[in-house]
Amino acid sequence: MAKKNILVLHGPNLNLHGQREPEIYGSLTLDEIDQALAERALKLGILIECFQSNHEGVLVDHIQMAIKSYDAILINPAAFSHYSYALRDALSATGLPLVEVHLSNVFAREPFRHHSVITEVANGMICGLGLQSYLLGLEALVKVLEKQQV
Ligand code: CA2
């Protein structure tokens, strides 16, 4: 059977990761996060592709393309989580399993971060665990895909 293929999306400003505000987001760079995800994917026997953009429309285009080539989506929508109906609609339209992740504990931060318009269309959301949020999110998606095959 073909290996499952998961699209990992990072939203705006996450390219700055590791360079600013390490007390909130940690000191790993985005490349290091992607590397850790690639290593975990290898162990899990799946394929991943990671993509970051600061632009809502570019992310929407990538999500629309995902329908043909991917089995599931792992996303840190960053600030778009809190207001992007465009991203939410695009993710929902794929019909693919979806896990939302955040590095920081959004509920322990400013009130505007307490609500995500994405969570309602996701299988689940993991936050506050830094890199582990992403790794656990990837593992959760693999479990969801395994369940689909039964
Ligand atoms: O905790 C997360 O992963 C967030 O998605 C990060 C977003 C924030 O808007 C969300 O509320 C929670 C911010 C990403 C910006 O990342 C930076 C990293 C280093 C320096 C500056 C920004």
Side-chain angles (χ1 to χ4, degrees):
M1 189 183 298
K3 282 189 178 181
K4 296 292 182 190
N5 202 5
I6 295 182
L7 176 63
V8 179
L9 292 173
H10 308 285
N13 296 308
L14 284 163
N15 54 313
L16 298 175
H17 204 264
Q19 300 166 37
R20 307 239 177 99
E21 302 183 74
E23 66 288 356
I24 300 174
Y25 298 113
S27 54
L28 288 178
T29 65
L30 196 59
D31 277 351
E32 288 168 333
I33 290 175
D34 287 346
Q35 186 56 42
L37 282 165
E39 283 165 21
R40 186 60 58 94
L42 201 65
K43 282 192 188 139
L44 291 166
I46 57 159
L47 302 171
I48 61 163
E49 190 188 315
C50 301
F51 178 76
Q52 188 273 334
S53 178
N54 293 326
H55 305 280
E56 191 178 30
V58 174
L59 288 165
V60 168
D61 286 344
H62 232 77
I63 292 163
Q64 288 185 6
M65 288 186 320
I67 302 174
K68 284 194 209 125
S69 322
Y70 298 93
D71 300 295
I73 301 176
L74 180 69
I75 187 168
N76 182 346
F80 287 148
S81 318
H82 313 302
Y83 65 91
S84 176
Y85 296 113
L87 221 54
R88 172 199 169 117
D89 286 347
L91 289 164
S92 177
T94 67
L96 295 174
L98 172 71
V99 170
E100 174 185 359
V101 297
H102 295 281
L103 294 152
S104 63
N105 178 356
V106 284
F107 301 105
R109 301 184 63 194
E110 303 94 320
F112 77 87
R113 296 187 205 275
H114 296 185
H115 183 69
S116 163
V117 299
I118 309 295
T119 314
E120 289 147 1
V121 299
N123 294 67
M125 191 271 253
I126 300 169
C127 74
L129 302 169
L131 171 64
Q132 288 303 320
S133 295
Y134 278 93
L135 298 177
L136 291 169
L138 193 64
E139 295 202 1
L141 277 174
V142 170
K143 295 265 183 240
V144 171
L145 291 171
E146 280 169 6
K147 249 189 166 176
Q148 274 185 353
Q149 277 169 221
V150 181

